[in-house]
């Protein structure tokens, strides 16, 4: 099990300082959230990349359909090279307008189907863009005309930056997308119900359900001929950082079920308390017991 901390705040300077602190206190990853009208997460991670040496860096998470694929490829490549290969891209569809209207103040939601098409095309494009070599592409939403001029350098990590993607269990189309990638960010829709919200997720999504989904993913990857490639189950949760034994007890069932990353944060902390909370939680170290 590896452990990451998600910074729930917005202060860029503080985020870079906390990435250094996380590395010093034994965390394996540091993540920042990505908004629409917000501090640029990739600029923050670029600064963190040159101030750290071993910790993994990424977003949690990037609403990929809201981004131009070639710009996202350039940003992730830049941070990957600055960090010498320590970047991970967490990818999702983004929040629907009817759920979070504040994320749609500049445009209207084209709908889940269109966003899913844009996500799938971007996932096809990114490995090509990360190679920094001429190629052509013709999709429903994006077109690439072949060029031999002004090609960018490739990513350090090849065949590209690892991609963790949201997979909605047991919705098979969503899960099949994840199976082709490098990691699973769980979401859960209880049978007969819609997608559970964050609070409900923590209550109804259990390690046993996660294990069932993870085993399905591993079987699907074997069918696709991808069984030999590394694959992560990335589980998010909250521990207090006060009682190491209690924190370890929260994480242990997920580790036993097969999760390979635990990402810790508390999204409910008031804005004025985030710095104090983040410093204390990071300094307490990962929930390893």
């Amino acid at each position: 099990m590896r452990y990451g901390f998600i910074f729930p705040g917005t202060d860029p300077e503080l985020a870079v300082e906390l990435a250094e602190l996380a590395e010093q206190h034994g965390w394996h990853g540091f993540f920042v959230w990505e908004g629409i009208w917000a501090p640029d997460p990739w600029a923050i991670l670029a600064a963190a990349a040159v101030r750290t040496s071993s910790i993994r860096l990424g977003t949690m998470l990037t609403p990929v359909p809201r981004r131009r694929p070639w710009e996202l490829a350039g940003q992730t490549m830049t941070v990957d090279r600055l960090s010498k290969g320590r970047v991970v891209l967490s990818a999702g569809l983004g929040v629907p307008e009817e759920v979070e209207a504040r994320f749609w103040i500049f445009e209207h939601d084209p709908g889940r189907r269109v966003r899913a098409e844009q996500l799938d095309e971007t996932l096809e494009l990114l490995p090509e863009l990360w190679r920094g070599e001429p190629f052509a592409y013709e999709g429903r939403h994006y077109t690439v005309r072949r060029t031999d001029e002004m090609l960018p350098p490739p990513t350090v990590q090849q065949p590209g930056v690892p991609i963790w993607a949201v997979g909605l269990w047991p919705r098979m189309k969503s899960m099949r997308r994840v199976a082709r990638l490098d990691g699973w960010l769980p979401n859960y829709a209880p049978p007969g119900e819609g997608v559970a919200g964050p609070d409900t997720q923590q209550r109804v999504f259990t390690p046993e359900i996660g294990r069932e989904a993870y085993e399905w993913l591993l079987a699907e990857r074997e069918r696709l001929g991808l069984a030999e490639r590394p694959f992560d189950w990335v589980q998010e949760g909250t521990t207090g950082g006060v009682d190491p034994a209690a924190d370890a007890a929260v994480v242990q069932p997920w580790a036993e079920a097969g999760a390979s990353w635990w990402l810790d944060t508390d999204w409910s902390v008031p804005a004025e308390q985030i710095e104090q909370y983040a410093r204390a939680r990071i300094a307490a170290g990962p929930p390893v017991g």
Side-chain angles (χ1 to χ4, degrees):
M1 176 72 81
R2 286 164 289 176
Y3 301 89
F5 180 78
I6 307 171
F7 174 53
T10 59
D11 185 330
E13 290 181 288
L14 175 60
V16 175
E17 183 183 345
L18 292 175
E20 291 183 277
L21 188 66
E23 186 170 81
Q24 293 165 9
H25 286 276
W27 296 84
H28 304 101
F30 182 82
F31 300 83
V32 294
W33 65 278
E34 180 162 348
I36 300 303
W37 187 20
D40 183 342
W42 297 103
I44 293 170
L45 294 174
V50 298
R51 298 265 292 270
T52 58
S53 60
S54 62
I55 198 167
R56 275 221 166 252
L57 302 166
T59 55
M60 193 51 63
L61 48 74
T62 295
V64 170
R66 309 293 299 273
R67 305 294 308 280
R68 293 177 181 269
W70 42 93
E71 292 179 351
L72 180 58
Q75 288 175 306
T76 49
M77 175 274 291
T78 300
V79 181
D80 191 61
R81 292 182 70 89
L82 286 171
S83 67
K84 297 179 174 58
R86 292 185 283 121
V87 170
V88 63
L89 172 64
S90 301
L93 285 175
V95 181
E97 187 171 8
E98 65 268 20
V99 176
E100 288 280 3
R102 64 193 174 100
F103 288 119
W104 293 94
I105 60 174
F106 301 108
E107 58 184 325
H108 288 295
D109 184 357
R112 183 181 180 87
R113 181 185 62 80
V114 172
R115 284 186 283 114
E117 290 174 352
Q118 292 171 323
L119 173 58
D120 287 334
E121 287 191 22
T122 301
L123 293 175
E124 291 177 358
L125 280 168
L126 284 173
E128 299 289 344
L129 293 162
W130 283 330
R131 276 193 278 271
E133 299 174 354
F135 76 102
Y137 180 88
E138 189 69 41
R140 181 185 294 269
H141 300 281
Y142 306 116
T143 297
V144 178
R145 290 187 289 274
R146 184 182 177 89
T147 181
D148 296 309
E149 300 178 43
M150 298 182 67
L151 295 170
T155 53
V156 173
Q157 299 177 94
Q158 286 296 327
V161 170
I163 300 174
W164 298 342
V166 175
L168 179 59
W169 178 257
R171 305 286 176 83
M172 290 300 102
K173 184 175 182 179
S174 174
M175 296 297 285
R176 289 190 183 97
R177 175 188 296 123
V178 172
R180 301 192 304 270
L181 302 171
D182 307 293
W184 174 44
L185 302 167
N187 205 347
Y188 181 50
E193 303 179 29
V195 181
D199 294 336
T200 304
Q201 286 273 337
Q202 289 195 359
R203 188 177 70 253
V204 302
F205 181 68
T206 65
E208 292 74 22
I209 294 172
R211 181 65 188 178
E212 178 186 0
Y214 184 58
E215 289 178 347
W216 183 91
L217 283 166
L218 295 181
E220 178 68 4
R221 287 176 64 78
E222 185 170 3
R223 186 186 70 82
L224 294 170
L226 300 173
E228 300 304 314
R229 284 177 43 182
F231 186 79
D232 287 303
W233 166 5
V234 184
Q235 185 62 41
E236 183 180 328
T238 304
T239 60
V242 176
D243 183 340
D247 290 348
V250 171
V251 177
Q252 182 178 0
W254 298 100
E256 292 176 348
S260 53
W261 274 88
W262 174 267
L263 302 189
D264 214 300
T265 200
D266 186 348
W267 295 104
S268 68
V269 175
E272 65 275 12
Q273 297 176 22
I274 284 177
E275 179 174 358
Q276 179 182 2
Y277 152 73
R279 288 188 186 279
R281 184 65 200 88
I282 289 172
V288 295

